Amino acid sequence: MSAIGTALQSGILLLIAAFALLSSRYGYSLNLRMFAKRQMKRFGYKSLKDLKFSFDRMIYAIPLPTNQPSIKQAKMESYRIVEDFDSWIYPQLNGIRVLLTPKQGEELLIAYVSTEQFRMPSLDQLLIEGKINRTTYRRISATKLTMLSTKTEIIEEVYSQIQNKRFS
Amino acid sequence: MIPLVMITAVVLFLAGSFLRFYLPLFWNKLLLCVCSFALMEVILKNDFGDFSLFIYGAFVLLASYSFSWYGVCGSVILIAAFSSGGTDIQWYPMPLITLLLTGVVGTIFHRQLRRKLALETVWQTQMYKQSRHLSILKEIGIAIQSTMEPGKLLHIILTAITAGYGLGFNRALLFLMDESDSRLKGELGIGSMNEQEGMCIWNAVVSDRMNLGDFIAMKDNTHVRDYELNDLLRATVITLSSNHFIQRAITEQKPYLVRSIDPTDYVQIMLSKIFHMNSFAVVPMLNQGKAVGIIVVDNNINHEPIDIEEVDSIIPLAAQASIAIENSRLYKRTQQMSITDGLTGLYNQRYMQETLHNLAVQADSKGSPLSLIILDIDFFKHYNDTNGHLEGNKVLIELADIITGSVGKLHVPCRFGGEEFVVLLPETSRDEAQRVAELIRSKVERHPFHNAKAQPDERVTVSVGLAAYRHGMSIQQLQDRADTALYEAKRSGKNQVVVFREGA
């Protein structure tokens, strides 16, 4: 094999390695999903969607009720969720941030849900019964937090709290 | 054609990169480093000259980022000892120094990043916690403003302590100081006595998407009444003495955390027995330095250890609660004073008029009987002139006691003004009312009032007028009729009961 061919092959391998390292977050998320699904099946749940969760530990970074026009008048579509990881190569989901891009001005942090504080009664029950440990609880919580349906519900909750005339 | 060994190395690397997330962090790091080393070895089987050093450097960087100094040493030793690639590198001195320097950079980067992350995490956690507590305080402040009812106030405070939207303790018990300031009486508790019940409520809360406001609003809902807990709590009395932890918490005016039951402390043993508590915290409720009560919290469902920081966060709530309870008591007292006669303790004329109106409406709608007695002390001016007004006041107080002791639970005794008294008798026929009136009159006649002998009849007596309500009659008419009967009793010799009869 020619030297160019060898260099090309090695270059491709290096690129794959670099890509694998930089896409660790996706690998982590995929892994979480597979793990959570298997756990759910083990305890008789059809899907992760069956798990009900609580908003009770969601933290608002803005005062509620708010009368700031840029927040009050923002549409639901202006909200987005950003996952909060602590590292690129060894990622752990710390929580999710609810951000608002108002018509004018910079993006605002509206609320935060921590993975540690994201609670589900079904998992609490399993934890009390000793069927899962805290690490499993945390991994399933992280998976649930990253699901699209959860993110949508969280945005709806934040939006409704902001539109609500009284807080909570 | 790509050699099989390369394909195998890539597959193994990718598999390792994915499977590492199943492992705890240390093994995750180790697996990635091992896979990277294997891949690197496969790549460097071919001679890349000085470029090899760059690849080795990348590996040292990864190892040092993963394991700090251990990573640097381990990776450099590994490279020097096991690197069997086609590269013919003279490891000493420059390449080795270069790799070590790379490792140092990686380690510094790793440490800085870790420190920054740790600081950020601490800072963020604190900020989020404070923000949460502020929200709870704000919410509770608003809720407390909405009521003066003590029961509702206590419910709001305990909800804030126990609800997930609040401080999230599994259970909270509130004891209030009694009037003697020597005993704490169980007043209200929120929480479950067992895990099953607790989980059931927690599920319901999440299913209903309830928040703190909903919890506060649902005071009367059955599944937050916690009957068993409250039955036990209301039967619990803690006597304050110097030899138990609650007394210490009150004296030192600070929370007290019990991590395990002290067998020498009888209150701890009592709480442990009654409420199955193993570890709990007590927070004194203070208002201007005076203890109003205590709040006891525990995590009997999830058995989470109680953190002193979380207990500290109860203090502002307990302070708010103390002020609110004192205000509520003050309000109740003021309300009571506004409808009570200061001298005799009976209801005053204002209350009598309001109540009479309500009772007449009730009598009309239910068709039930209603009677009214009005009584006046005979020769009271003479008594005052002879014995002085202070003694006269004593007669009024004693007469009020006689009236209160003679009427039933439903009856409403009032001081009408001066030496005139009125008793409203709902659900009481004229004949029954007449018996009550006669009872009062005879009791007064027999009562040994001070210096009664100086009275014209040598005793203190009362004249009584009585009238019964008739459907459609105004309350003024009823009072006039009773007054007419009283006038008749006075006119025809005093110390007697006269019943108003129509056409008489």
Side-chain angles (χ1 to χ4, degrees):
Chain A
M1 192 181 284
S2 68
I4 294 175
T6 311
L8 197 66
Q9 280 171 10
S10 301
I12 290 169
L13 289 190
L14 281 174
L15 276 177
I16 289 172
F19 177 76
L21 283 180
L22 292 176
S23 58
S24 290
R25 286 183 183 180
Y26 301 101
Y28 167 74
S29 299
L30 183 64
N31 185 285
L32 277 184
R33 246 157 236 241
M34 288 169 69
F35 173 82
K37 265 187 188 170
R38 220 178 40 243
Q39 293 293 327
M40 287 297 93
K41 218 174 235 178
R42 202 177 124 208
F43 296 112
Y45 292 91
K46 280 183 186 165
S47 138
L48 263 178
K49 281 186 185 171
D50 291 352
L51 284 182
K52 286 176 183 156
F53 62 90
S54 169
F55 295 115
D56 65 353
R57 298 298 171 99
M58 183 147 63
I59 288 149
Y60 287 86
I62 54 163
L64 284 178
T66 180
N67 289 305
Q68 288 183 58
S70 57
I71 299 174
K72 192 86 178 167
Q73 289 159 12
K75 290 185 176 165
M76 210 191 288
E77 297 77 51
S78 312
Y79 291 88
R80 74 182 181 105
I81 282 187
V82 173
E83 289 163 4
D84 176 25
F85 288 100
D86 59 0
S87 161
W88 269 103
I89 299 176
Y90 304 109
Q92 293 279 327
L93 185 75
N94 290 331
I96 57 171
R97 294 192 173 105
V98 183
L99 303 173
L100 170 68
T101 315
K103 280 184 181 169
Q104 288 175 335
E106 286 185 11
E107 198 166 46
L108 293 169
L109 171 67
I110 301 292
Y112 186 81
V113 187
S114 152
T115 310
E116 294 288 350
Q117 302 286 322
F118 189 57
R119 307 194 304 156
M120 284 168 269
S122 309
L123 296 187
D124 285 327
Q125 177 78 53
L126 293 173
L127 190 68
I128 286 171
E129 289 168 2
K131 290 179 179 167
I132 58 171
N133 58 24
R134 292 211 172 271
T135 314
T136 307
Y137 192 130
R138 195 187 190 284
R139 294 183 80 172
I140 299 173
S141 294
T143 317
K144 181 77 178 170
L145 255 182
T146 54
M147 286 173 69
L148 189 64
S149 56
T150 310
K151 290 177 182 173
T152 311
E153 272 190 73
I154 287 175
I155 287 181
E156 283 170 2
E157 168 70 8
V158 170
Y159 183 76
S160 80
Q161 289 296 345
I162 286 171
Q163 296 307 320
N164 201 342
K165 284 187 180 165
R166 66 178 281 287
F167 174 45
S168 66
Chain B
M1 273 293 283
I2 302 173
L4 187 65
V5 67
M6 277 203 174
I7 293 171
T8 313
V10 169
V11 170
L12 278 176
F13 178 79
L14 291 178
S17 296
F18 179 72
L19 290 173
R20 69 189 171 101
F21 295 116
Y22 278 110
L23 304 172
L25 191 59
F26 174 82
W27 296 105
N28 172 344
K29 288 175 175 179
L30 193 66
L31 183 60
L32 182 68
C33 289
V34 169
C35 289
S36 303
F37 184 74
L39 186 70
M40 181 183 73
E41 282 301 294
V42 172
I43 293 171
L44 295 179
K45 282 223 176 288
N46 305 303
D47 185 6
F48 285 100
D50 289 343
F51 185 66
S52 308
L53 201 60
F54 174 76
I55 295 173
Y56 283 131
F59 175 69
V60 173
L61 214 52
L62 175 69
S64 59
Y65 175 75
S66 305
F67 295 107
S68 187
W69 292 113
Y70 301 106
V72 180
C73 300
S75 59
V76 172
I77 291 168
L78 209 63
I79 289 168
F82 297 103
S83 179
S84 57
T87 318
D88 185 20
I89 296 177
Q90 291 298 316
W91 286 107
Y92 188 77
M94 279 316 288
L96 196 63
I97 291 170
T98 311
L99 287 184
L100 283 171
L101 282 176
T102 309
V104 170
V105 171
T107 303
I108 291 170
F109 181 64
H110 166 260
R111 292 205 159 185
Q112 286 297 329
L113 197 72
R114 217 170 59 171
R115 194 172 300 159
K116 188 170 169 278
L117 268 174
L119 275 174
E120 265 180 18
T121 309
V122 171
W123 176 80
Q124 262 188 0
T125 311
Q126 286 299 327
M127 197 192 74
Y128 289 144
K129 213 179 259 182
Q130 293 305 319
S131 165
R132 226 171 92 74
H133 291 165
L134 201 63
S135 296
I136 297 166
L137 266 178
K138 195 165 72 172
E139 184 79 351
I140 290 307
I142 294 169
I144 282 177
Q145 294 296 316
S146 68
T147 184
M148 273 294 190
E149 192 199 319
K152 177 89 179 157
L153 281 171
L154 302 183
H155 171 80
I156 291 170
I157 299 301
L158 292 195
T159 300
I161 293 170
T162 51
Y165 279 90
L167 299 177
F169 286 99
N170 291 172
R171 193 163 57 168
L173 315 175
L174 196 142
F175 294 80
L176 286 182
M177 195 73 84
D178 72 357
E179 283 167 4
S180 67
D181 280 352
S182 62
R183 293 188 318 164
L184 288 161
K185 289 174 79 176
E187 192 69 28
L188 181 71
I190 291 187
S192 313
M193 286 299 288
N194 57 63
E195 287 169 2
Q196 199 184 358
E197 195 186 322
M199 288 313 300
C200 188
I201 294 172
W202 178 214
N203 264 302
V205 168
V206 173
S207 295
D208 297 347
R209 288 274 180 253
M210 286 169 62
N211 57 30
L212 191 54
D214 296 329
F215 259 112
I216 289 169
M218 68 180 293
K219 183 188 169 223
D220 298 326
N221 197 310
T222 44
H223 75 251
V224 289
R225 277 183 184 170
D226 305 319
Y227 291 114
E228 192 188 347
L229 176 69
N230 279 297
D231 285 348
L232 288 170
L233 183 65
R234 286 188 188 122
T236 309
V237 175
I238 299 168
T239 309
L240 292 179
S241 61
S242 56
N243 57 350
H244 62 72
F245 77 107
I246 289 179
Q247 178 69 60
R248 284 199 290 276
I250 289 175
T251 311
E252 292 168 22
Q253 304 197 342
K254 64 178 188 185
Y256 201 95
L257 192 57
V258 176
R259 292 191 197 280
S260 60
I261 304 297
D262 175 0
T264 61
D265 191 317
Y266 76 93
V267 175
Q268 288 188 31
I269 295 168
M270 181 179 80
L271 291 176
S272 163
K273 271 190 185 160
I274 299 174
F275 303 105
H276 313 298
M277 288 175 158
N278 297 318
S279 131
F280 54 93
V282 58
V283 180
M285 295 166 68
L286 303 163
N287 183 28
Q288 295 178 344
K290 184 180 171 252
V292 176
I294 56 159
I295 296 170
V296 181
V297 291
D298 77 336
N299 287 330
N300 63 325
I301 306 295
N302 60 17
H303 306 294
E304 291 268 351
I306 297 176
D307 179 8
I308 192 71
E309 199 184 338
E310 287 292 314
V311 176
D312 281 344
S313 61
I314 301 176
I315 295 173
L317 285 178
Q320 280 223 27
S322 311
I323 296 167
I325 289 166
E326 280 293 288
N327 282 347
S328 163
R329 283 176 175 170
L330 215 62
Y331 175 73
K332 204 175 160 189
R333 214 173 297 151
T334 315
Q335 224 180 13
Q336 190 61 31
M337 280 167 69
S338 74
I339 59 169
T340 313
D341 172 56
L343 180 70
T344 60
L346 298 183
Y347 291 114
N348 60 18
Q349 199 198 15
R350 187 192 306 133
Y351 182 78
M352 187 216 87
Q353 294 295 351
E354 274 177 30
T355 311
L356 182 57
H357 173 77
N358 295 337
L359 291 176
V361 170
Q362 189 185 309
D364 277 338
S365 64
K366 285 168 66 179
S368 55
L370 168 65
S371 302
L372 186 147
I373 290 172
I374 183 163
L375 59 92
D376 186 272
I377 303 174
D378 299 327
F379 303 112
F380 190 59
K381 186 179 180 305
H382 181 271
Y383 188 92
N384 273 338
D385 291 346
T386 313
N387 302 292
H389 282 87
L390 283 178
E391 286 302 324
N393 284 349
K394 281 183 186 167
V395 169
L396 292 173
I397 294 166
E398 285 170 42
L399 177 57
D401 290 343
I402 291 171
I403 295 171
T404 310
S406 308
V407 299
K409 277 184 184 173
L410 280 177
H411 301 158
V412 187
C414 313
R415 184 179 176 200
F416 196 69
E419 69 270 32
E420 274 193 353
F421 293 81
V422 166
V423 184
L424 308 177
L425 302 103
E427 313 279 344
T428 310
S429 66
R430 190 170 55 188
D431 290 346
E432 286 172 83
Q434 192 175 356
R435 273 195 289 277
V436 174
E438 188 54 44
L439 180 67
I440 296 171
R441 190 206 61 76
S442 61
K443 276 187 176 177
V444 172
E445 189 182 46
R446 292 196 304 271
H447 188 79
F449 290 100
H450 173 73
N451 202 21
K453 290 277 180 208
Q455 287 291 88
D457 290 342
E458 296 184 346
R459 59 194 170 175
V460 173
T461 57
V462 289
S463 297
V464 187
L466 188 157
Y469 181 75
R470 207 161 42 78
H471 180 68
M473 178 191 275
S474 74
I475 57 168
Q476 190 54 52
Q477 274 177 304
L478 177 65
Q479 288 178 76
D480 286 347
R481 287 180 174 199
D483 207 37
T484 306
L486 172 64
Y487 176 75
E488 185 54 32
K490 290 271 186 196
R491 198 186 59 80
S492 51
K494 302 184 174 66
N495 189 22
Q496 57 186 294
V497 175
V498 172
V499 180
F500 180 87
R501 291 181 201 281
E502 270 178 284

